């Protein structure tokens, strides 16, 4: 299991300088372990203002926080954006995972996302794992963590792949 708290940041919050300053100041004075904080941003939200998003992410990472790119492949997916963002985790959009055992195109897409993530030293989460067949396929592809109704909707479980540490080990 992944320990910590995942916080979804919307595109509007990433473009709201007052909110970003507020969050930075709160975390600066935070007495707990900032390494327990995992911020999830969608790809679409991240690329709306990529320079400011990247700067914000770098500042928060220096404080010990982690960043996950959520719903990868569902928005304006581009490996150019993936290359520019200082993320540690990438969540493959569930639309590619849900039917992975029945659709060779979904399987190929997930495989390519896992391959590029490995090359970039980014750990991978597969969303919408809803059956044993999907779980086995994503494990075989090298996905690090899974999320979905098969394991529990709000739960993210580590697969038995040895390719990545848990977020709080860094």
């Amino acid at each position: 299991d992944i320990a910590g708290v995942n916080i979804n940041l919307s595109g509007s919050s990433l473009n709201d300088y007052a909110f970003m300053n507020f969050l930075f100041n709160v975390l600066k004075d935070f007495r707990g372990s900032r390494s327990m904080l995992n911020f999830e941003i969608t790809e679409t939200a991240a690329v709306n203002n990529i320079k400011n998003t990247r700067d914000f992410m770098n500042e928060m990472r220096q404080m010990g926080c982690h960043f996950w790119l959520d719903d990868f492949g569902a928005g304006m997916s581009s490996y150019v954006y993936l290359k520019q963002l200082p993320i540690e985790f990438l969540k493959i959009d569930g639309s590619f995972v849900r039917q992975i055992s029945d659709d060779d195109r979904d399987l190929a897409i997930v495989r390519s996302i896992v391959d590029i993530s490995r090359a970039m030293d980014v750990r991978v989460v597969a969303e919408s794992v809803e059956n044993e067949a999907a779980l086995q396929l994503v494990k075989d592809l090298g996905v690090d963590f899974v999320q979905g109704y098969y394991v529990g909707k709000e739960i993210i479980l580590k697969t038995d792949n040895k390719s990545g540490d848990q977020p709080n080990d860094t």
Side-chain angles (χ1 to χ4, degrees):
D1 293 340
I2 294 175
V5 176
N6 286 34
I7 302 166
N8 287 295
L9 293 178
S10 69
S12 59
S13 61
L14 288 171
N15 290 314
D16 183 342
Y17 295 109
F19 172 77
M20 288 173 40
N21 286 331
F22 167 78
L23 183 59
F24 180 78
N25 288 325
V26 166
L27 291 178
K28 191 170 54 173
D29 296 331
F30 184 65
R31 296 191 188 278
S33 175
R34 290 186 216 112
S35 67
M36 301 289 288
L37 299 175
N38 304 305
F39 290 103
E40 292 188 33
I41 58 172
T42 63
E43 179 185 12
T44 304
V47 301
N48 281 338
N49 190 341
I50 196 157
K51 182 191 178 320
N52 289 343
T53 300
R54 184 178 52 239
D55 292 347
F56 172 72
M57 291 170 72
N58 281 327
E59 286 182 43
M60 293 293 112
R61 284 191 62 196
Q62 288 176 3
M63 295 175 79
C65 301
H66 301 280
F67 278 89
W68 301 44
L69 190 59
D70 196 9
D71 297 335
F72 185 77
M76 304 167 63
S77 36
S78 169
Y79 290 128
V80 170
Y81 297 125
L82 183 60
K83 187 176 163 182
Q84 293 180 28
L85 294 170
I87 61 166
E88 298 167 83
F89 297 88
L90 184 142
K91 289 177 78 176
I92 302 171
D93 187 71
S95 65
F96 300 116
V97 177
R98 201 169 287 115
Q99 299 297 320
I100 194 171
S101 60
D102 300 320
D103 190 330
D104 290 339
R105 294 172 299 177
D106 286 341
L107 180 62
I109 290 168
V110 171
R111 180 181 291 118
S112 73
I113 294 171
V114 171
D115 288 347
I116 196 69
S117 297
R118 288 290 163 255
M120 297 178 66
D121 197 29
V122 172
R123 289 167 274 180
V124 182
V125 179
E127 295 181 326
S128 298
V129 173
E130 298 178 356
N131 57 54
E132 177 66 30
L135 176 63
Q136 192 58 54
L137 278 170
V138 298
K139 285 172 69 173
D140 291 347
L141 291 173
V143 167
D144 301 298
F145 302 93
V146 296
Q147 179 180 24
Y149 287 118
Y150 189 70
V151 297
K153 185 176 190 293
E154 301 300 325
I155 298 170
I156 299 176
L157 293 177
K158 185 171 186 348
T159 65
D160 57 5
N161 292 315
K162 307 292 187 229
S163 58
D165 296 329
Q166 295 195 19
N168 297 320
D169 291 344
T170 56

